[in-house]
Amino acid sequence: MVDVIVQRYTSASDGQGGETNEWTTHLEISGTLDKLNGDEVLANEKLGIVSSHIFIVFDVLDITELDRFIIDNKIYRVKDVDNPMNMDRQLEITLEYTGDKYEI
C-alpha cells in the first residue's frame, strides 16, 4: 500500500479584497500504485489524455480531474477517475507523473 496526499487547488480571501490560490490537502489515502511498463501508456476514451500510472483505492472518495497526488514527494496529475461498472467498490485513477518534486 502507498500513502498519498490528495491536494485540491483552492481560492481564499487574502483579507485585503483579493484572493490567493494555492494547493491544499484535501484527503490522505492509501492504495495501490502501478506504473505502466516502458513505452506503454494508457490512452483512455478522452482524446489526447495520456497517463503513466494507475492508482487503485478500495473506497469511493471525492477525487476529481482537478486534483493532484503527492506520492513519495513526487507530483502526479489526476487524468481520469473511474468507478468500474458503477459498483462503488473501488476507484481506478489514472495519473500522469509531472517530473516535479513536492517541497515540504
Side-chain angles (χ1 to χ4, degrees):
M1 298 295 272
V2 176
D3 293 327
V4 174
I5 297 172
V6 180
Q7 291 187 327
R8 186 161 283 173
Y9 199 65
T10 58
S11 298
S13 172
D14 66 4
Q16 299 176 354
E19 60 182 37
T20 59
N21 299 312
E22 63 183 6
W23 289 100
T24 57
T25 299
H26 174 60
L27 298 168
E28 293 185 19
I29 60 176
S30 294
T32 304
L33 180 68
D34 188 22
K35 180 179 178 187
L36 299 175
N37 296 326
D39 294 333
E40 179 185 8
V41 293
L42 177 68
N44 69 24
E45 294 124 16
K46 299 177 186 176
L47 293 177
I49 304 294
V50 178
S51 302
S52 60
H53 293 75
I54 297 174
F55 185 82
I56 299 172
V57 60
F58 295 99
D59 228 341
V60 177
L61 305 167
D62 177 26
I63 298 173
T64 70
E65 286 90 7
L66 301 175
D67 297 332
R68 73 179 186 179
F69 280 28
I70 308 299
I71 305 170
D72 293 329
N73 292 332
K74 296 177 186 162
I75 300 172
Y76 296 80
R77 277 186 234 147
V78 175
K79 299 307 249 176
D80 187 53
V81 180
D82 183 30
N83 179 354
M85 298 189 302
N86 292 318
M87 295 185 69
D88 294 334
R89 292 186 181 170
Q90 70 188 39
L91 291 180
E92 294 178 1
I93 304 160
T94 52
L95 304 171
E96 178 185 20
Y97 175 56
T98 66
D100 298 324
K101 293 201 178 215
Y102 180 70
E103 302 296 326
I104 297 175

